[in-house]
Amino acid sequence: MEVAKVIIDQNSHHTDRPFDYKIPGELREAVKVGSRVQVTFGKGHKKMEGYVLGVKDIEKPRYTIKNLQGVVQNVPPLSELQIDMILWMKKTYLCTYMEAISAVAPPKAYGNIKEKKDVYVRRKISSEKLESQLEKTPNNAKRQREILQYFLEEEELLLKSLPGIKSLYKNAVNALEKKGILEVIEKEKASKLLSMKSPSNPPRVPLTTEQKKALETMKEGFQQTQQNGVKGKTYLLHGVTGSGKTELYLGLIEKALEMGKTAIVLVPEISLTPQTMERFTARFGEAIALIHSSLTLKERYHEWEKIQQGKAKIVIGARSAIFANLENLGMIVVDEEHEYTYKSEQNPKYHAIEIAKYRSEKEGAQVILGSATPSVESYYRGEKGIYELISLDRRVTKHQLPQVEMVDMREELDVGNLSMISGSLKSQIEENLKNRGQTILFLNRRGFSTFLSCKKCGYVEKCQDCDITMTYHLPSDELICHYCGKKKKPITECPDCGSTTIKHFGYGTQKLEKNIENLFPQARILRMDVDTTTEKGAHEKVLNAFKNREADILIGTQMISKGLDFPGVTLVGIIAADSILNLPDFRASERTFQLLTQVAGRAGRGEDLGSVVLQTYKPEHYSIEEAIKQDYVGFYKREIGLREAFEYPPFTALYLVNLMGEDEDKVYNTAIKISKGIRYILKNEGHSDCLEECILGPNPSVITKINKNYRYRILLKNINIDKQLLKKVLKYVCINKRKQFVPDEVNLSIDFNPYSII
DNA sequence: AGCACGCCGACT
DNA sequence: GTCGGCGTGCTC
Ligand SMILES: [Zn+2]
Ligand SMILES: [Zn+2]
């Protein structure tokens, strides 16, 4: 008897296995492998849905088998390639079937999508007439006058983008509507990114010799792959800012399309701007589908439909676009490949590059990883020949770099300045305010990690085994290494210089905002960090306000780096380069280098080149030195040595096991039980020698408590042990025997190749 | 997860 | 006696 193996769409590890269902005669035609089907499930015969992941023959069943109830309409069945990928993801990321399916399958359309409408205000008369109207408007109608000012330049504005409280401007708008000057209209929400979609065949800028050579090499590789039908090659395109990487992407996509292939272009969510879109649409027009969070549900569904129906030849989007089920996939471009947003934060915790390489292997697509500051892992693979490394060293455009001034904060102490703003930065902000230029100030998140540092010489206490900054914990007054759990008494005297000026670092954007407010009471200040930007779109709002010059100073964490491209910005201040450098994470140096390189390498705008003030207690650190020199390879050479010495990626693979729950004892005991279980099995397998280095923890996570939930984690590293064996043991304990190790109140999730261990 | 079954305490 | 508390176990 032929039965369908169905994965029930229920988010639970208890039911994470295929269940058999009979296929009734009338459904034989409609049900395919990959179909979304209706079933009854459990003792209550609850109506549920699920996916058919396969069919099999059963001789005589040892249990009663229910019938499939039907096929869900309007959900395209998963393709064979998609099902293979789901199975591979489950194995690789140790997630559930449904988690893998949710990642791979396009988002479901929920019935009729009800879209909220946006309310706009539009000018009904010409701007000249408006001017005379403005004169006629009495002075006491302050609100009305203010609103009319806006419409001198704009024809149409979002109602809620008008200044003031809703009730205040609503009255004024109503009055103006009665006068026939303005009108209020409703429009369906629409993403700005979708507005331009016709090819305009802009004049092509001729490529430089360097670009030509790079393009030819990659095109040849593509041709070879297509002819020999082998798995696709991966290229690492390392090019400084302004070296013309995008132009090469366009050339490669063109080549792929010529050969009847399709392409995926991944761009970090935040840099997917109308300008970026325009580069692509100008060349390829309607053949593009866009996947981006600014899309409304309806738009999103429409774009996926376009992919499904084969109308799209190119898909541009953020992380999840890597799953676009294009046929004849030939080219995958990952721009800014070092960006952490390519790593999923939900289960399965995949990295888009991992999926790209998988598809490259299965579908024969070529992968292009582009970056000015590649991740250390990628560059290492480029050097080892696993990727083909192509470097673009010349800037295409005349590109003036800003003035970078480094301020040694240790000297500020000598002159009696104890604040977080150096004299130099203070005077530069003053100057910039006077000249009506905008300022961006970077600072890392607070509370995240507090560390101890000598203010005189910059010494920071690190774990001797892990080379990781030790984190200060207040309740116990101890320094703790979050990797291995080693503890230490806090230092009161610097072991390097003997000074007793030991300072706790860990201030955040809020405190800085207060500081700046006090220093420059007349300045308009915006702040953007995790706390202020929880609601969706809040991010964009703050950035847009800053772009429109509604503020003079923008304070924030790394997430404001998009603001670097705003033309009004003429001063960038890095308050404490050390706050990233001293994060308790193996990627701290890399992240510092990437941010500083980006800031120091930003294009000067127009006449004013702008300037950068970089404050640090450790000016001699290689991340800082090489970033100022804009020397990636110099940085890489220093960093890779340390990664090898302390056995971090790319020299080891990491697995992070996260345990979470409201009962701290239960969470801790579970963590202990799991680590003991893994140790026990490894010992029996004859690996007692590597237990100490392989299994670190359990330790409390750096953020020990989120939302009433206590968090512990175990870190696994493959030192002196086969990666596969370590993973097998991990899977055995955490997945196969989960019931014995993990109670239901404790949440477990596994992160393979974590981006950071914070 | 979500539901049924079942085995004890306190309530008409 | 029996109503309902939640601990236990199963779902094709
Ligand atoms: Zn010192
Ligand atoms: Zn350590």
Side-chain angles (χ1 to χ4, degrees):
Chain A
M1 177 181 47
E2 202 182 46
V3 294
K5 296 201 291 177
V6 175
I7 304 299
I8 307 297
D9 188 352
Q10 186 166 236
N11 190 21
S12 163
H13 60 269
H14 293 110
T15 49
D16 181 40
R17 60 199 149 97
F19 290 89
D20 298 337
Y21 283 89
K22 280 187 277 199
I23 309 169
E26 69 272 19
L27 288 178
R28 186 123 312 168
E29 283 291 305
V31 175
K32 298 184 185 74
V33 172
S35 293
R36 187 169 170 92
V37 289
Q38 292 151 338
V39 296
T40 58
F41 190 66
K43 286 181 185 157
H45 298 279
K46 196 174 186 273
K47 283 196 177 206
M48 308 221 49
E49 293 183 358
Y51 284 92
V52 178
L53 275 210
V55 287
K56 66 172 176 187
D57 256 322
I58 287 190
E59 286 293 294
K60 55 166 135 61
R62 288 166 17 254
Y63 40 76
T64 50
I65 300 183
K66 292 178 182 173
N67 271 342
L68 284 180
Q69 298 297 305
V71 178
V72 181
Q73 297 303 305
N74 299 326
V75 178
L78 300 164
S79 69
E80 206 175 308
L81 280 170
Q82 285 177 314
I83 291 177
D84 286 347
M85 193 192 288
I86 287 160
L87 300 176
W88 171 80
M89 284 180 81
K90 181 175 166 59
K91 229 171 42 202
T92 305
Y93 300 108
L94 303 177
C95 62
T96 65
Y97 282 106
M98 263 330 285
E99 284 166 342
I101 291 171
S102 306
V104 171
K108 290 182 294 262
Y110 289 105
N112 320 321
I113 306 163
K114 280 173 257 129
E115 214 61 85
K116 277 187 222 146
K117 297 209 168 162
D118 271 335
V119 184
Y120 285 85
V121 183
R122 185 161 39 188
R123 187 178 74 206
K124 277 178 88 178
I125 56 178
S126 72
S127 65
E128 291 81 35
K129 277 189 183 165
L130 185 77
E131 226 163 317
S132 60
Q133 277 290 343
L134 190 57
E135 280 164 28
K136 276 187 247 163
T137 312
N139 270 335
N140 62 358
K142 203 177 135 211
R143 210 26 91 173
Q144 289 188 29
R145 290 184 65 92
E146 194 186 331
I147 288 168
L148 287 179
Q149 289 286 349
Y150 280 93
F151 286 93
L152 285 175
E153 281 177 30
E154 301 282 344
E155 203 177 325
E156 193 176 290
L157 284 168
L158 257 177
L159 180 67
K160 60 178 179 216
S161 72
L162 295 173
I165 312 154
K166 197 174 171 183
S167 59
L168 282 175
Y169 61 71
K170 194 73 219 273
N171 287 338
V173 168
N174 284 344
L176 290 166
E177 197 177 11
K178 276 204 188 107
K179 288 187 199 168
I181 301 169
L182 300 178
E183 66 179 330
V184 177
I185 47 171
E186 283 192 352
K187 273 194 201 172
E188 237 173 60
K189 284 195 177 191
S191 167
K192 277 185 198 150
L193 293 174
L194 284 175
S195 52
M196 65 305 248
K197 270 213 178 169
S198 47
S200 51
N201 281 319
R204 295 208 184 166
V205 190
L207 298 181
T208 64
T209 3
E210 193 185 51
Q211 280 179 307
K212 260 185 217 155
K213 207 176 137 213
L215 184 58
E216 278 319 308
T217 311
M218 292 188 281
K219 273 188 182 174
E220 256 165 49
F222 183 70
Q223 189 96 29
Q224 266 175 30
T225 303
Q226 297 310 317
Q227 276 164 3
N228 307 335
V230 290
K231 65 175 200 170
K233 279 186 181 164
T234 300
Y235 289 85
L236 176 62
L237 185 57
H238 172 223
V240 293
T241 321
S243 58
K245 291 189 289 289
T246 309
E247 207 51 43
L248 299 191
Y249 302 155
L250 293 171
L252 283 166
I253 293 166
E254 197 167 54
K255 171 83 180 170
L257 295 188
E258 270 168 23
M259 295 187 69
K261 294 285 173 167
T262 57
I264 294 175
V265 182
L266 298 187
V267 179
E269 179 84 29
I270 200 156
S271 29
L272 191 42
T273 59
Q275 291 78 34
T276 318
M277 264 312 270
E278 207 168 349
R279 294 281 298 271
F280 287 91
T281 44
R283 190 98 153 228
F284 304 112
E286 281 293 325
I288 299 176
L290 172 70
I291 307 297
H292 190 258
S293 68
S294 77
L295 268 57
T296 65
L297 278 175
K298 205 171 181 180
E299 287 173 334
R300 186 176 307 222
Y301 179 65
H302 182 240
E303 297 295 298
W304 278 109
E305 202 177 31
K306 230 163 102 177
I307 298 166
Q308 192 72 36
Q309 294 168 351
K311 286 180 191 159
K313 301 286 176 225
I314 303 165
V315 175
I316 300 179
R319 181 176 63 225
S320 62
I322 193 61
F323 295 109
N325 44 337
L326 287 167
E327 269 181 43
N328 296 317
L329 182 63
M331 187 74 64
I332 303 174
V333 173
V334 185
D335 190 29
E336 309 288 344
E337 67 91 31
H338 63 277
E339 276 283 328
Y340 69 94
T341 49
Y342 287 131
K343 171 91 180 173
S344 171
E345 284 170 7
Q346 284 174 357
N347 286 337
K349 293 177 177 151
Y350 66 90
H351 193 294
I353 294 179
E354 290 159 0
I355 309 294
K357 287 199 280 189
Y358 172 87
R359 293 194 72 168
S360 159
E361 196 170 310
K362 297 288 167 184
E363 299 172 55
Q366 177 160 304
V367 179
I368 312 291
L369 308 175
S371 174
T373 52
S375 73
V376 170
E377 287 97 318
S378 289
Y379 200 84
Y380 177 76
R381 291 189 186 116
E383 263 203 326
K384 289 279 156 203
I386 302 167
Y387 299 161
E388 248 180 85
L389 180 59
I390 296 181
S391 294
L392 298 176
D393 299 322
R394 285 162 206 276
R395 297 183 197 272
V396 174
T397 47
K398 278 260 178 291
H399 188 104
Q400 309 261 31
L401 295 179
Q403 202 84 42
V404 181
E405 183 194 340
M406 184 157 68
V407 178
D408 187 338
M409 291 302 277
R410 297 172 301 193
E411 289 167 8
E412 291 293 309
L413 182 75
D414 292 342
V415 297
N417 180 7
L418 290 161
S419 83
M420 50 208 288
I421 314 248
S422 64
S424 174
L425 179 57
K426 189 184 165 207
S427 59
Q428 289 220 36
I429 295 175
E430 247 161 35
E431 187 71 20
N432 205 34
L433 280 171
K434 238 182 252 160
N435 300 333
R436 311 230 118 257
Q438 287 180 295
T439 303
I440 285 184
L441 298 178
F442 278 103
L443 188 65
N444 232 44
R445 226 202 299 184
R446 185 184 70 107
F448 219 46
S449 70
T450 310
F451 61 96
L452 297 187
S453 167
C454 168
K455 269 207 131 182
K456 193 147 199 179
C457 74
Y459 173 85
V460 171
E461 194 81 334
K462 287 193 170 193
C463 174
Q464 291 187 347
D465 295 335
C466 310
D467 194 41
I468 294 295
T469 305
M470 295 187 92
T471 310
Y472 178 71
H473 278 253
L474 192 62
S476 54
D477 188 40
E478 274 176 327
L479 288 171
I480 298 175
C481 169
H482 270 285
Y483 277 29
C484 69
K486 209 156 280 150
K487 290 177 185 172
K488 217 175 179 179
K489 282 235 114 214
I491 47 168
T492 49
E493 192 177 290
C494 174
D496 262 21
C497 73
S499 161
T500 50
T501 51
I502 305 298
K503 193 181 182 299
H504 292 217
F505 275 78
Y507 35 56
T509 53
Q510 277 162 334
K511 194 171 161 195
L512 177 62
E513 189 182 16
K514 277 263 140 48
N515 249 310
I516 296 285
E517 263 172 20
N518 291 339
L519 281 173
F520 310 104
Q522 76 286 11
R524 297 167 300 164
I525 301 168
L526 276 176
R527 179 165 63 93
M528 182 158 123
D529 59 24
V530 193
D531 305 331
T532 59
T533 44
T534 41
E535 64 172 292
K536 207 189 153 204
H539 227 99
E540 290 276 304
K541 253 188 200 163
V542 175
L543 279 172
N544 276 334
F546 190 63
K547 192 178 184 179
N548 297 335
R549 299 211 170 214
E550 286 166 34
D552 306 306
I553 300 174
L554 175 62
I555 299 172
T557 56
Q558 256 184 80
M559 62 173 84
I560 61 174
S561 53
K562 188 188 173 187
L564 289 172
D565 292 332
F566 297 161
V569 177
T570 44
L571 175 63
V572 178
I574 315 242
I575 301 299
D578 315 68
S579 66
I580 310 170
L581 197 54
N582 291 320
L583 284 176
D585 191 77
F586 72 91
R587 228 180 270 276
S589 300
E590 182 178 334
R591 285 170 64 181
T592 306
F593 178 80
Q594 281 161 353
L595 173 69
L596 298 186
T597 307
Q598 195 187 352
V599 171
R602 68 183 284 255
R605 299 282 153 177
E607 316 253 302
D608 195 346
L609 294 183
S611 46
V612 175
V613 178
L614 195 166
Q615 303 188 150
T616 174
Y617 287 87
K618 239 189 228 169
E620 69 284 354
H621 191 278
Y622 62 92
S623 291
I624 294 172
E625 276 185 349
E626 305 293 354
I628 287 172
K629 283 195 268 174
Q630 297 273 303
D631 181 0
Y632 175 81
V633 179
F635 161 77
Y636 169 80
K637 283 188 177 146
R638 299 288 297 273
E639 177 69 10
I640 198 75
L642 286 175
R643 294 279 181 98
E644 185 165 21
F646 289 95
E647 294 167 312
Y648 287 118
F651 298 98
T652 50
L654 302 179
Y655 280 94
L656 200 53
V657 182
N658 288 301
L659 285 320
M660 213 169 81
E662 291 193 15
D663 184 336
E664 184 168 12
D665 287 345
K666 253 185 195 150
V667 177
Y668 178 70
N669 290 334
T670 307
I672 290 284
K673 211 167 161 187
I674 290 174
S675 68
K676 273 190 181 157
I678 295 173
R679 284 198 172 94
Y680 180 79
I681 295 167
L682 284 179
K683 207 184 269 175
N684 282 352
E685 298 267 335
H687 281 88
S688 36
D689 51 327
C690 67
L691 294 181
E692 282 302 307
E693 314 160 273
C694 263
I695 305 153
L696 302 175
N699 288 310
S701 302
V702 176
I703 305 166
T704 40
K705 199 178 173 188
I706 292 181
N707 256 331
K708 286 189 195 168
N709 279 280
Y710 290 88
R711 310 183 337 141
Y712 279 79
R713 55 107 178 280
I714 304 162
L715 183 64
L716 304 184
K717 240 182 181 184
N718 68 320
I719 299 173
N720 295 326
I721 184 174
D722 177 48
K723 197 163 101 184
Q724 294 307 322
L725 175 66
L726 187 61
K727 184 172 172 181
K728 213 172 109 188
V729 176
L730 174 66
K731 186 181 168 229
Y732 180 78
V733 171
C734 293
I735 309 290
N736 303 4
K737 296 285 167 202
R738 180 172 175 151
K739 264 182 238 154
Q740 288 163 37
F741 285 94
V742 190
D744 273 356
E745 310 91 274
V746 177
N747 192 302
L748 175 145
S749 95
I750 294 168
D751 191 345
F752 164 57
N753 282 342
Y755 172 75
S756 85
I757 326 200
I758 294 182

